[in-house]
Amino acid sequence: SARNAEICAGDEDWYLIDATGAITVRIDFDHANGDLDMEAVGYGGERLASSASVQNEETVTATGPFFVRAFGYSGAANTYTILAQ
C-alpha cells in the first residue's frame, strides 16, 4: 500500500526495496508545490534508474533488492506518496 511522506528543503528520503525480481516504485505529488525526483541505487552505490520529469509523478524500475532515493530538485520540498509494486 502507498505510504505518505515528505521531503523538507535540502532533505532526501531513502527506502530499501527488499524484494527480488523487477520492482516498480512510484512517487505521486503535486509538482506545483515542489519538483521531486527519484532514483534507484544498487548496494554498491551505482545508479540503476532515475526519474526527473516535470510531471506529478516519478517512476523507476529495477531488479531488487535495491535502494530508492527520493529528493527535491534544487532543494525543493513537497509531500508525496510512495508505492512499490
Side-chain angles (χ1 to χ4, degrees):
S1 66
R3 174 177 290 173
N4 294 322
E6 181 176 5
I7 297 290
C8 298
D11 191 17
E12 56 187 41
D13 291 344
W14 287 82
Y15 300 91
L16 171 61
I17 307 302
D18 191 18
T20 58
I23 306 293
T24 298
V25 180
R26 186 181 81 230
I27 58 173
D28 293 294
F29 56 95
D30 185 350
H31 183 269
N33 292 335
D35 184 12
L36 300 183
D37 294 328
M38 181 172 55
E39 60 186 14
V41 180
Y43 279 7
E46 68 279 12
R47 184 167 37 179
L48 304 174
S50 64
S51 183
S53 74
V54 293
Q55 306 303 314
N56 290 327
E57 72 175 47
E58 302 293 347
T59 304
V60 293
T61 301
T63 300
F66 59 92
F67 296 99
V68 167
R69 174 181 170 244
F71 59 98
Y73 175 76
S74 291
N78 202 346
T79 58
Y80 66 96
T81 59
I82 183 167
L83 177 65
Q85 54 195 94

